Amino acid sequence: MKDSAMSDDNVRDQKTTVEAKAPPMDIPLQECVGVGRLDPCTIVIFGASGDLTSRKLVPALYNLYLNDGLPKPLIIVGASRTALSHDEFREKLKSSYSATGNADLSLWNEFVGNLFYKPVIYDSLDSYKELAEFLRKLDQEHKVGGNRVFDLAVPPSLYPVIGEMLGKSGLAQEGENGNGWSRLVVEKPFGRDLKTAKELDETLHRNFLEHQIFRIDHYLAKETVQNILMFRFANSIFEPIWNRSYIGYVGIVAAEKLGVEMRAGYYEHAGVIRDMFQNHIMQVLAMITMEPPSLFEADLVRDERAKVFRSLKPLDRSKQADDLILGQYGPGIIDGVEVPGYRGEPGVNAQSLIPTFAMMRVFIDNWRWRGVPFYLVSGKRLAKKMTRVVVQFRRVPHSMFRNVLGEEILANRLVLGIYPQEKITLTFQTKHPGARSCLRPVTMDFSYDQNYSGPKFEAYEKVLLDCIQGDQMLFWSDNGVRLSWSFLTPILEECETCDDRGARLHPYHSGSWGPDAAKRWMKLIIDEP
Ligand code: BG6
């Protein structure tokens, strides 16, 4: 089929901008999240001496504190192997927060009054019993009610260990031994394939019930990703055309300028498919394609997202090379500076065959989407950091203008910008002013923060608040994770075991838009290459 919408329908002439006006919506943070209704609790962060705690978790909690967005009281307990006193821990966090450049230390001294540290040995049951005792004392002193969030900011190999120990020490049980509710926050990656994800789930489920487990995907916590559901299901004009009859193809792209940085140890075992596709790209795909649930409730929404993964058409092994292009960045120039290739990065094997770029064409085998290609792209060291969804509509079925304008009329395109611009643009045709009959594509443009100056949540702030509220809407469910791995595991196995693994890995220059082999598809979703 020569799908008319598959040619480069991209609209380049975007000179005219029509602004969509939105009513002012400055809602105070407390009203947004119902802070008054948040239960007092203790957040125990395992891996407290690590990077994630000082760079993301504690700054997120402090920002919420600055905006009066946390329950009262909220106690934070850092737990890790390193021996630190409470004060040393507080000082360490203060110096890394101060180094962020835009630090506001006005309430820091007050904030750290609720911050404590407890050394733990991750695989020692006695150590967890001591932790339990420590938490009980804090409960009594601060009247926290025994409610606890356990955040696993540790390497994935420790998830089952800590999960098991929390279970054995009684800390996972809700409503017993002075416990209130008990929740476990698990970072990605959740397993490295279907088998390991199942094993991890089995261990966690031996100790926690599903409603207690919060599997993070920070993309779901992005405002613009959440907005996809509002855009689709709170308007009546888009849903009737949101299907194979009107949409020619969809592109989802998460392009990054950054390289692997100092994460070679992790990335050498992950690669782009585990790092970006298994989680973030799959969730965006689900938000774009899921059916409307009967109510905006966590279980119902998560079920609909999971159904999308179940409907993904498996890639045909024998033709996989047509549907999957893998690449690895070589040296190049980013922002005018020479940068090394992936194999020259610290900690990377000089012969590494790990992909840092992937473009996958997938199909969803259901009534709504049958036959519509979804182009999924992510890569490191590309020309720009850009995250967006492109919905390319089909061309008009018949052109009554063909005698004056020819057959070619560019099709409509909707772009949901996630980064750098958080915006929605819709491009359509208008008459070019003047005596001659000719068309002009124009773009209607809505900026997400237009007419809004209220507080904004960083992804981690949203994730932590939702967990304190017990709201699972923006987290992975167990069957969602399994179904997503069920689709990707055979693809990974094929890529990682095939004889021509090296030949299928296309090199690209850092600062480019990926390998030449992907250009044909990249042209469909990115304006620039
Ligand atoms: C993380 C990946 O989950 O997402 C990183 O591990 C990637 O490799 C990051 O850089 C991208 O997130 P964002 O929000 O910057 O698009």
Side-chain angles (χ1 to χ4, degrees):
M1 169 178 83
K2 167 145 183 2
D3 186 340
S4 57
M6 297 264 297
S7 61
D8 186 6
D9 284 336
N10 206 348
V11 179
R12 278 156 216 231
D13 176 6
Q14 300 192 344
K15 288 182 198 130
T16 306
T17 295
V18 183
E19 282 207 343
K21 291 262 181 283
M25 289 200 330
D26 291 354
I27 304 172
L29 180 70
Q30 288 80 352
E31 279 176 41
C32 297
V33 298
V35 167
R37 296 191 301 275
L38 294 178
D39 296 336
C41 65
T42 302
I43 299 189
V44 182
I45 305 177
F46 289 100
S49 56
D51 211 34
L52 183 63
T53 306
S54 52
R55 265 189 331 108
K56 298 274 188 196
L57 297 174
V58 170
L61 289 166
Y62 179 57
N63 279 337
L64 285 168
Y65 189 80
L66 281 173
N67 283 301
D68 199 15
L70 289 177
K72 291 187 180 86
L74 178 105
I75 305 297
I76 302 166
V77 175
S80 71
R81 278 178 289 227
T82 317
L84 289 175
S85 67
H86 301 313
D87 281 339
E88 283 168 332
F89 180 54
R90 292 167 185 162
E91 270 313 303
K92 183 177 172 329
L93 294 176
K94 184 177 180 182
S95 61
S96 66
Y97 175 67
S98 308
T100 55
N102 52 358
D104 169 358
L105 288 168
S106 54
L107 294 183
W108 183 264
N109 287 343
E110 198 178 298
F111 173 72
V112 293
N114 293 331
L115 222 130
F116 302 90
Y117 185 80
K118 177 89 183 116
V120 286
I121 301 164
Y122 291 129
D123 57 357
S124 149
L125 186 54
D126 287 344
S127 194
Y128 288 79
K129 287 184 180 158
E130 283 170 24
L131 175 67
E133 196 41 46
F134 181 72
L135 293 175
R136 266 191 285 278
K137 280 200 183 125
L138 281 177
D139 278 348
Q140 281 157 13
E141 278 164 34
H142 297 268
K143 313 247 175 314
V144 194
N147 299 320
R148 290 164 200 145
V149 173
F150 297 101
D151 193 315
L152 304 187
V154 291
S157 56
L158 287 172
Y159 298 168
V161 178
I162 298 176
E164 192 85 39
M165 288 296 162
L166 286 171
K168 285 191 173 149
S169 60
L171 281 166
Q173 280 167 338
E174 300 192 290
E176 286 183 29
N177 304 324
N179 295 353
W181 47 252
S182 170
R183 296 175 187 149
L184 184 73
V185 179
V186 189
E187 296 282 339
K188 68 173 259 270
F190 198 91
R192 54 173 284 105
D193 52 20
L194 180 59
K195 181 171 167 286
T196 48
K198 274 185 180 167
E199 286 165 1
L200 176 55
D201 250 342
E202 277 160 20
T203 309
L204 297 185
H205 279 149
R206 269 203 302 276
N207 302 286
F208 291 85
L209 297 171
E210 177 62 11
H211 77 263
Q212 297 177 274
I213 305 172
F214 289 71
R215 301 174 191 79
I216 289 188
D217 189 310
H218 80 277
Y219 264 53
L220 282 178
K222 290 180 192 265
E223 289 278 5
T224 38
V225 173
Q226 291 167 52
N227 182 52
I228 295 171
L229 293 194
M230 314 297 165
F231 177 79
R232 288 186 57 199
F233 301 130
N235 294 296
S236 61
I237 60 172
F238 301 111
E239 218 31 42
I241 55 170
W242 208 255
N243 56 52
R244 63 192 300 276
S245 306
Y246 293 92
I247 293 179
Y249 66 86
V250 176
I252 299 176
V253 52
E256 295 189 79
K257 241 179 0 186
L258 285 181
V260 69
E261 307 291 290
M262 303 313 288
R263 300 165 71 214
Y266 151 75
Y267 205 86
E268 276 283 272
H269 297 280
V272 66
I273 295 183
R274 289 190 180 85
D275 187 45
M276 293 295 290
F277 280 66
Q278 154 58 19
N279 30 69
H280 312 321
I281 300 261
M282 281 292 154
Q283 286 292 7
V284 177
L285 176 69
M287 299 287 263
I288 291 289
T289 57
M290 64 184 252
E291 294 301 319
S294 55
L295 266 184
F296 190 57
E297 278 182 1
D299 283 350
L300 305 185
V301 172
R302 295 193 327 160
D303 277 355
E304 292 303 336
R305 289 204 301 254
K307 280 187 209 162
V308 170
F309 308 135
R310 188 174 276 132
S311 307
L312 279 168
K313 185 174 172 183
L315 294 199
D316 181 340
R317 277 188 173 230
S318 62
K319 290 197 274 158
Q320 193 166 298
D322 292 340
D323 288 326
L324 178 64
I325 296 169
L326 298 173
Q328 189 187 72
Y329 66 84
I333 296 183
I334 297 270
D335 294 334
V337 178
E338 279 187 33
V339 295
Y342 179 68
R343 292 176 187 180
E345 299 276 22
V348 172
N349 179 335
Q351 266 91 47
S352 175
L353 293 176
I354 289 295
T356 59
F357 172 98
M359 177 160 230
M360 203 181 276
R361 179 172 57 178
V362 304
F363 293 88
I364 296 174
D365 260 352
N366 65 17
W367 193 282
R368 187 192 283 259
W369 294 115
R370 170 85 207 211
V372 177
F374 289 82
Y375 297 97
L376 314 179
V377 189
S378 184
K380 292 208 178 281
R381 282 283 189 237
L382 297 179
K384 255 192 187 176
K385 174 144 177 80
M386 179 206 278
T387 315
R388 49 149 62 174
V389 179
V390 175
V391 179
Q392 182 64 58
F393 291 95
R394 292 188 186 278
R395 292 182 178 208
V396 291
H398 164 77
S399 170
M400 64 179 238
F401 303 108
R402 64 191 183 285
N403 51 346
V404 278
L405 300 173
E407 291 284 357
E408 290 284 307
I409 295 181
L410 293 177
N412 302 116
R413 168 175 284 205
L414 179 81
V415 177
L416 305 175
I418 297 169
Y419 190 91
Q421 285 109 358
E422 299 189 325
K423 56 174 9 191
I424 299 174
T425 58
L426 176 66
T427 308
F428 53 93
Q429 299 293 334
T430 59
K431 180 187 176 303
H432 197 284
R436 281 184 54 221
S437 289
C438 61
L439 291 174
R440 176 173 64 155
V442 293
T443 302
M444 187 142 50
D445 188 326
F446 165 66
S447 266
Y448 198 67
D449 54 9
Q450 190 178 314
N451 291 350
Y452 179 76
S453 56
K456 279 188 172 178
F457 292 111
E458 289 302 318
Y460 266 99
E461 293 171 33
K462 176 78 182 132
V463 158
L464 289 166
L465 264 183
D466 281 359
C467 186
I468 295 171
Q469 293 184 100
D471 182 353
Q472 291 262 15
M473 178 85 73
L474 303 178
F475 296 81
W476 281 89
S477 62
D478 51 354
N479 67 333
V481 174
R482 280 178 203 210
L483 288 164
S484 172
W485 273 125
S486 304
F487 173 70
L488 287 171
T489 301
I491 299 174
L492 282 162
E493 278 168 2
E494 163 70 17
C495 306
E496 288 169 358
T497 56
C498 66
D499 297 337
D500 57 349
R501 190 173 172 193
R504 281 180 56 186
L505 189 66
H506 303 275
Y508 60 96
H509 296 295
S510 288
S512 71
W513 277 107
D516 286 347
K519 264 204 173 135
R520 177 171 58 103
W521 290 353
M522 284 302 262
K523 259 179 53 178
L524 299 178
I525 44 178
I526 298 197
D527 315 339
E528 333 199 6

